[in-house]
PDB file of all heavy atoms in Angstrom:
ATOM      1  N   LYS P  89      96.945  76.434 220.711  1.00 98.00           N
ATOM      2  CA  LYS P  89      95.882  76.313 221.708  1.00 98.00           C
ATOM      3  C   LYS P  89      95.399  77.698 222.058  1.00 98.00           C
ATOM      4  O   LYS P  89      96.203  78.601 222.327  1.00 98.00           O
ATOM      5  CB  LYS P  89      96.443  75.615 222.971  1.00 98.00           C
ATOM      6  CG  LYS P  89      95.407  75.414 224.056  1.00 98.00           C
ATOM      7  CD  LYS P  89      94.654  74.133 223.868  1.00 98.00           C
ATOM      8  CE  LYS P  89      93.330  74.072 224.628  1.00 98.00           C
ATOM      9  NZ  LYS P  89      92.195  74.719 223.927  1.00 98.00           N
ATOM     10  N   GLY P  90      94.098  77.880 222.067  1.00 98.00           N
ATOM     11  CA  GLY P  90      93.532  79.178 222.438  1.00 98.00           C
ATOM     12  C   GLY P  90      92.079  79.225 222.033  1.00 98.00           C
ATOM     13  O   GLY P  90      91.615  78.407 221.234  1.00 98.00           O
ATOM     14  N   GLY P  91      91.368  80.169 222.585  1.00 98.00           N
ATOM     15  CA  GLY P  91      89.916  80.193 222.452  1.00 98.00           C
ATOM     16  C   GLY P  91      89.404  80.725 221.125  1.00 98.00           C
ATOM     17  O   GLY P  91      90.147  81.172 220.258  1.00 98.00           O
ATOM     18  N   GLN P 110      98.510  84.690 223.912  1.00 98.00           N
ATOM     19  CA  GLN P 110      98.332  83.273 224.244  1.00 98.00           C
ATOM     20  C   GLN P 110      99.662  82.509 224.207  1.00 98.00           C
ATOM     21  O   GLN P 110      99.852  81.564 224.965  1.00 98.00           O
ATOM     22  CB  GLN P 110      97.321  82.659 223.267  1.00 98.00           C
ATOM     23  CG  GLN P 110      96.625  81.410 223.783  1.00 98.00           C
ATOM     24  CD  GLN P 110      95.432  81.701 224.665  1.00 98.00           C
ATOM     25  OE1 GLN P 110      94.607  82.569 224.355  1.00 98.00           O
ATOM     26  NE2 GLN P 110      95.320  80.996 225.767  1.00 98.00           N
ATOM     27  N   LYS P 113     101.253  83.188 227.626  1.00 99.00           N
ATOM     28  CA  LYS P 113     100.385  82.639 228.675  1.00 99.00           C
ATOM     29  C   LYS P 113     100.512  81.116 228.715  1.00 99.00           C
ATOM     30  O   LYS P 113     100.701  80.521 229.780  1.00 99.00           O
ATOM     31  CB  LYS P 113      98.922  83.028 228.370  1.00 99.00           C
ATOM     32  CG  LYS P 113      97.913  82.539 229.376  1.00 99.00           C
ATOM     33  CD  LYS P 113      96.486  82.596 228.837  1.00 99.00           C
ATOM     34  CE  LYS P 113      96.094  84.010 228.451  1.00 99.00           C
ATOM     35  NZ  LYS P 113      94.621  84.108 228.202  1.00 99.00           N
ATOM     36  N   LYS P 125      94.506  81.637 218.339  1.00 99.00           N
ATOM     37  CA  LYS P 125      93.219  82.230 218.718  1.00 99.00           C
ATOM     38  C   LYS P 125      92.350  82.309 217.475  1.00 99.00           C
ATOM     39  O   LYS P 125      92.859  82.379 216.355  1.00 99.00           O
ATOM     40  CB  LYS P 125      93.429  83.646 219.272  1.00 99.00           C
ATOM     41  CG  LYS P 125      92.282  84.162 220.112  1.00 99.00           C
ATOM     42  CD  LYS P 125      92.385  83.664 221.533  1.00 99.00           C
ATOM     43  CE  LYS P 125      91.193  84.010 222.377  1.00 99.00           C
ATOM     44  NZ  LYS P 125      91.453  83.751 223.808  1.00 99.00           N
ATOM     45  N   ALA P 163      89.020  76.472 221.973  1.00 98.00           N
ATOM     46  CA  ALA P 163      88.183  76.395 223.171  1.00 98.00           C
ATOM     47  C   ALA P 163      87.262  77.616 223.147  1.00 98.00           C
ATOM     48  O   ALA P 163      87.077  78.236 222.100  1.00 98.00           O
ATOM     49  CB  ALA P 163      89.067  76.402 224.415  1.00 98.00           C
ATOM     50  N   GLY P 164      86.702  77.967 224.298  1.00 98.00           N
ATOM     51  CA  GLY P 164      85.798  79.122 224.371  1.00 98.00           C
ATOM     52  C   GLY P 164      86.529  80.422 224.667  1.00 98.00           C
ATOM     53  O   GLY P 164      87.701  80.449 224.990  1.00 98.00           O
ATOM     54  N   ASP P 165      85.810  81.504 224.513  1.00 98.00           N
ATOM     55  CA  ASP P 165      86.241  82.851 224.914  1.00 98.00           C
ATOM     56  C   ASP P 165      84.937  83.657 224.947  1.00 98.00           C
ATOM     57  O   ASP P 165      83.850  83.055 225.076  1.00 98.00           O
ATOM     58  CB  ASP P 165      87.279  83.431 223.924  1.00 98.00           C
ATOM     59  CG  ASP P 165      87.993  84.673 224.476  1.00 98.00           C
ATOM     60  OD1 ASP P 165      88.953  84.515 225.237  1.00 98.00           O
ATOM     61  OD2 ASP P 165      87.586  85.812 224.153  1.00 98.00           O
ATOM     62  N   ARG P 204      86.903  72.722 234.253  1.00 98.00           N
ATOM     63  CA  ARG P 204      87.213  73.639 233.144  1.00 98.00           C
ATOM     64  C   ARG P 204      86.294  74.847 233.174  1.00 98.00           C
ATOM     65  O   ARG P 204      86.711  75.971 232.916  1.00 98.00           O
ATOM     66  CB  ARG P 204      87.152  72.928 231.766  1.00 98.00           C
ATOM     67  CG  ARG P 204      87.415  73.888 230.572  1.00 98.00           C
ATOM     68  CD  ARG P 204      88.791  74.509 230.647  1.00 98.00           C
ATOM     69  NE  ARG P 204      89.060  75.583 229.679  1.00 98.00           N
ATOM     70  CZ  ARG P 204      88.824  76.881 229.882  1.00 98.00           C
ATOM     71  NH1 ARG P 204      88.265  77.307 231.014  1.00 98.00           N
ATOM     72  NH2 ARG P 204      89.147  77.772 228.967  1.00 98.00           N
ATOM     73  N   ASN P 344      91.589  89.441 229.030  1.00 98.00           N
ATOM     74  CA  ASN P 344      92.837  89.651 228.312  1.00 98.00           C
ATOM     75  C   ASN P 344      93.038  91.129 228.027  1.00 98.00           C
ATOM     76  O   ASN P 344      92.192  91.750 227.369  1.00 98.00           O
ATOM     77  CB  ASN P 344      92.821  88.848 227.001  1.00 98.00           C
ATOM     78  CG  ASN P 344      92.993  87.359 227.249  1.00 98.00           C
ATOM     79  OD1 ASN P 344      93.954  86.935 227.879  1.00 98.00           O
ATOM     80  ND2 ASN P 344      92.040  86.555 226.783  1.00 98.00           N
ATOM     81  N   GLY P 372      92.462  79.043 232.867  1.00 98.00           N
ATOM     82  CA  GLY P 372      91.510  78.479 231.906  1.00 98.00           C
ATOM     83  C   GLY P 372      92.214  77.590 230.907  1.00 98.00           C
ATOM     84  O   GLY P 372      91.874  76.402 230.745  1.00 98.00           O
ATOM     85  N   VAL P 373      93.232  78.135 230.276  1.00 99.00           N
ATOM     86  CA  VAL P 373      93.935  77.346 229.257  1.00 99.00           C
ATOM     87  C   VAL P 373      94.735  76.219 229.909  1.00 99.00           C
ATOM     88  O   VAL P 373      94.894  75.145 229.320  1.00 99.00           O
ATOM     89  CB  VAL P 373      94.789  78.251 228.346  1.00 99.00           C
ATOM     90  CG1 VAL P 373      96.068  78.717 229.019  1.00 99.00           C
ATOM     91  CG2 VAL P 373      95.112  77.531 227.048  1.00 99.00           C
ATOM     92  N   SER P 376      92.397  73.554 230.254  1.00 98.00           N
ATOM     93  CA  SER P 376      92.182  72.995 228.912  1.00 98.00           C
ATOM     94  C   SER P 376      93.273  71.974 228.594  1.00 98.00           C
ATOM     95  O   SER P 376      93.006  70.918 228.019  1.00 98.00           O
ATOM     96  CB  SER P 376      92.221  74.105 227.858  1.00 98.00           C
ATOM     97  OG  SER P 376      90.993  74.788 227.798  1.00 98.00           O
TER      98      SER P 376
HETATM   99  O1  2IT Y   2      92.141  83.549 226.675  1.00 70.79           O
HETATM  100  C1  2IT Y   2      92.193  82.346 226.998  1.00 70.79           C
HETATM  101  O2  2IT Y   2      93.183  81.874 227.577  1.00 70.79           O
HETATM  102  C2  2IT Y   2      91.037  81.500 226.701  1.00 70.79           C
HETATM  103  N1  2IT Y   2      90.051  81.991 226.198  1.00 70.79           N
HETATM  104  C3  2IT Y   2      91.082  80.037 227.018  1.00 70.79           C
HETATM  105  C4  2IT Y   2      91.774  79.276 225.922  1.00 70.79           C
HETATM  106  C5  2IT Y   2      91.726  77.772 226.026  1.00 70.79           C
HETATM  107  O3  2IT Y   2      92.221  77.155 225.072  1.00 70.79           O
HETATM  108  O4  2IT Y   2      91.233  77.212 227.006  1.00 70.79           O
END
Side-chain angles (χ1 to χ4, degrees):
K89 181 87 199 83
Q110 203 83 44
K113 180 196 300 192
K125 200 83 187 192
D165 194 83
R204 177 61 189 90
N344 287 305
V373 76
S376 279

